[in-house]
Amino acid sequence: MILLSFDTEEFEVPREHGVEISLEEGMKVSVYGTNKILDVLKQNQVHATFFCTGNFAENAPEVIERIKREGHEIACHGVDHWIPRVDDVYRSKEIVERVSGVKTYGYRQPRMFPVSDEDIEKAGYVYNSSLNPAFIPGRYMHLNTPRTWFMRGKVMEIPASVTPCFRIPLFWLALHNFPERLYHWFVNRVLRHDGYFVTYFHPWEFYQLKEHPEYKIPLIIKNHSGNEMVNRLDRLVKMLKSRNQEFVTFSEFVKRRISK
């Protein structure tokens, strides 16, 4: 099974590199990218899970409506991606459910940072996907955490997929920078070993970042962005479909695992 997901947030990456960007401009970038993603998924007739910030939901209700209309799952991803707050697990749920008109079952903390397990359960989430079980200097030090799904109380933890050996992360940055054949080989290696694959991307990756030097984004992030990333996502989905892999939402994955 393929658990494809997108952290649907306002674009604020330039801030990490000392460049101010308004919410309006950040939303323009992310709305463009989200629609590009939805086009690829629609063309390939697959479903995914969109982890949405409160900011994105309130400023792009028409995109939230399209996500819902085309059969994808809507989950929560905090409120303001740049300034997380302790009560975001509750506020995000209230905002996203109000805008979308659907109940949300899952949460992912911005930047895959730690989040209170107690608050996740209290807020009524069924699953939490806020763990990248890899070692990435300056970001993650998770070599001793489980690399596949596990239960924490009543909540299912669904980490992003990493390779069985050496825990090579296979999230968005890998598809930008690995040779595609190598990335596809790693994905199939995980599928053979774990029986499922979890990955995530962001809408702004599908925007022409190379045309905006004013954002001061490092090459490792903007490499193969824009239309190149649209094509890479399309080829990844087509490769997995050609191997008869089933695309499921995170909620569907939880239902199937708990019912066993």
Side-chain angles (χ1 to χ4, degrees):
M1 289 185 288
I2 309 300
L3 285 74
L4 183 60
S5 64
F6 301 91
D7 290 358
T8 314
E9 67 214 25
E10 61 278 15
F11 175 59
E12 39 77 277
V13 177
R15 288 185 174 183
E16 295 190 27
H17 308 285
V19 177
E20 274 303 312
I21 183 171
S22 68
L23 176 59
E24 182 180 18
E25 184 175 357
M27 285 299 304
K28 180 187 75 172
V29 171
S30 289
V31 164
Y32 176 91
T34 305
N35 280 311
K36 285 288 187 180
I37 291 165
L38 287 165
D39 289 345
V40 171
L41 301 181
K42 186 175 183 179
Q43 289 162 11
N44 287 283
Q45 297 183 307
V46 298
H47 292 137
T49 300
F50 287 76
F51 291 88
C52 304
T53 63
N55 274 350
F56 187 94
E58 289 193 311
N59 287 278
E62 73 287 351
V63 181
I64 296 294
E65 180 60 31
R66 182 182 175 189
I67 292 170
K68 180 175 70 171
R69 185 175 65 248
E70 295 184 0
H72 306 290
E73 179 180 1
I74 296 173
C76 296
H77 189 46
V79 178
D80 185 311
H81 199 268
W82 182 246
I83 308 174
R85 287 171 38 176
V86 175
D87 61 348
D88 278 353
V89 293
Y90 302 98
R91 295 171 61 228
S92 182
K93 202 171 201 298
E94 185 279 319
I95 295 169
V96 173
E97 288 186 347
R98 170 167 47 81
V99 174
S100 67
V102 298
K103 186 173 176 58
T104 56
Y105 296 97
Y107 188 82
R108 176 175 290 156
Q109 183 75 340
R111 296 180 180 82
M112 287 279 201
F113 283 172
V115 62
S116 166
D117 299 315
E118 182 180 356
D119 285 339
I120 288 289
E121 189 167 330
K122 272 187 182 179
Y125 293 106
V126 173
Y127 66 87
N128 177 21
S129 185
S130 304
L131 175 62
N132 192 330
F135 171 65
I136 301 176
R139 186 71 79 171
Y140 308 123
M141 179 75 80
H142 296 151
L143 292 181
N144 295 319
T145 60
R147 51 170 298 281
T148 54
W149 74 271
F150 62 99
M151 298 300 297
R152 198 191 298 270
K154 297 178 181 178
V155 177
M156 179 181 287
E157 302 279 346
I158 308 177
S161 290
V162 295
T163 60
C165 298
F166 308 112
R167 294 198 178 207
I168 297 170
L170 298 176
F171 64 148
W172 63 279
L173 203 57
L175 187 55
H176 278 269
N177 294 286
F178 287 176
E180 277 188 89
R181 285 189 179 182
L182 178 62
Y183 184 86
H184 290 186
W185 187 87
F186 279 141
V187 169
N188 285 304
R189 175 77 178 88
V190 169
L191 282 165
R192 288 193 298 272
H193 190 274
D194 301 338
Y196 70 97
F197 174 68
V198 180
T199 192
Y200 63 99
F201 304 93
H202 310 86
W204 43 263
E205 301 170 51
F206 301 84
Y207 189 77
Q208 298 296 125
L209 296 177
K210 288 183 180 179
E211 296 178 5
H212 293 273
E214 72 275 15
Y215 292 154
K216 296 184 179 179
I217 295 177
L219 179 60
I220 193 173
I221 293 178
K222 65 184 179 183
N223 193 28
H224 296 296
S225 60
N227 291 332
E228 292 180 62
M229 196 60 182
V230 170
N231 292 331
R232 286 193 167 213
L233 175 63
D234 182 63
R235 287 192 290 267
L236 174 63
V237 171
K238 282 181 166 58
M239 180 276 290
L240 292 167
K241 287 192 71 177
S242 73
R243 293 172 176 261
N244 297 317
Q245 295 294 339
E246 182 184 10
F247 286 74
V248 300
T249 64
F250 281 57
S251 287
E252 178 63 26
F253 180 82
V254 172
K255 287 178 186 175
R256 295 191 191 186
R257 284 294 180 261
I258 290 180
S259 66
K260 284 190 175 183

